[in-house]
Amino acid sequence: MKLLQERIAKDGNVKSGNVLKVDNFLNHQMDIELFNEIGKEFKRLFHDYKITKILTIEASGIGIACITAQYFNVPVVFAKKAQSINIDGEVYSTKIESFTHKKTYDVIVSKKFLNPEDKVLIIDDFLANGCALAGLIDLVRSSGASVEGIGIVIEKGFQSGGEMIRNMGVKLESLAIIDSMNAEDGSIVFRD
Ligand code: 5GP
């Protein structure tokens, strides 16, 4: 997605540790016009699928998921992070290691909001090592629902998550894929 690549090139900030900061338009301040274009693009990519629900993870995925959901006319469910939980049978839970905070979270979704009939589109802001997505896929599958596809705004293609998820046979679409980035000179190279 050209518009997104241009925006990342203009406002993205490459940090050490393979972290790209996009606080200016995606992760802190949110550019809703851009989000709208992102939502439209996800609809174009997944229009053949009968999506009944969008699943994301708090916090950064929520804004993108909500704007995208307007194009699919379906509810958004976000997986909640908790430091620790008592598994009381009311929730599906999984563990996710946070790429940016290097912490492991229990992540939960209420059983009320994922059903075996659901056809789920998973949406998230970034894909790095794939831990967040693997956890979200696990939550969906625990409920008996199906993962119809995954939409990612920015995939860091030099990390292992994209290959891992595609090898699971899930349709994964990333709107911008970064092949390399350099914290020293701030350069970012996109995949065509
Ligand atoms: P993964 O689980 O694929 O390793 O990491 C994905 C999650 O970590 C995303 O939900 C995102 O919040 C966060 N993340 C991973 N890499 C980056 C990055 O370079 N920049 C930002 N802002 N978030 C990232």
Side-chain angles (χ1 to χ4, degrees):
M1 192 181 165
K2 194 103 190 88
L3 186 69
L4 177 63
Q5 281 193 10
E6 286 169 1
R7 192 61 185 271
I8 296 168
K10 179 169 158 279
D11 288 330
N13 214 328
V14 183
K15 299 286 182 193
S16 60
N18 285 332
V19 172
L20 177 67
K21 278 216 124 189
V22 284
D23 279 8
N24 177 291
F25 62 94
L26 183 62
N27 287 144
H28 194 17
Q29 174 167 262
M30 296 185 281
D31 181 335
I32 300 305
E33 271 180 44
L34 178 66
F35 278 29
N36 211 25
E37 295 307 314
I38 288 170
K40 259 188 232 169
E41 184 63 7
F42 282 138
K43 178 65 186 178
R44 192 183 68 77
L45 292 166
F46 292 101
H47 75 273
D48 282 344
Y49 296 76
K50 288 230 165 311
I51 305 299
T52 64
K53 213 156 268 183
I54 290 180
L55 176 69
T56 189
I57 179 163
E58 68 175 355
S60 326
I62 295 174
I64 295 281
C66 289
I67 302 279
T68 301
Q70 292 189 304
Y71 289 94
F72 288 87
N73 297 306
V74 297
V76 173
V77 177
F78 64 93
K80 295 189 172 196
K81 292 174 186 165
Q83 294 292 352
S84 66
I85 49 160
N86 292 320
I87 299 173
D88 56 6
E90 300 296 312
V91 297
Y92 299 113
S93 80
T94 192
K95 285 193 188 299
I96 292 181
E97 189 190 335
S98 156
F99 178 83
T100 36
H101 300 111
K102 308 285 177 238
K103 251 193 201 165
T104 300
Y105 295 91
D106 285 301
V107 174
I108 58 156
V109 169
S110 167
K111 288 187 176 174
K112 281 187 288 197
F113 303 129
L114 280 179
N115 305 299
E117 311 76 49
D118 276 323
K119 295 180 183 305
V120 179
L121 174 63
I122 295 174
I123 296 284
D124 204 6
D125 59 342
F126 271 91
L127 172 55
N129 293 324
C131 198
L133 284 187
L136 292 175
I137 292 169
D138 183 42
L139 287 175
V140 174
R141 293 189 171 161
S142 304
S143 73
S146 64
V147 177
E148 295 296 299
I150 300 176
I152 293 291
V153 181
I154 304 173
E155 175 178 340
K156 290 182 291 178
F158 53 89
Q159 292 178 289
S160 58
E163 196 185 351
M164 191 250 292
I165 298 293
R166 290 184 179 98
N167 284 343
M168 292 171 80
V170 180
K171 180 180 161 77
L172 165 64
E173 296 282 359
S174 299
L175 303 188
I177 302 182
I178 295 175
D179 267 339
S180 65
M181 58 187 204
N182 186 328
E184 309 266 289
D185 62 9
S187 61
I188 300 172
V189 177
F190 294 98
R191 194 171 296 174
D192 282 333

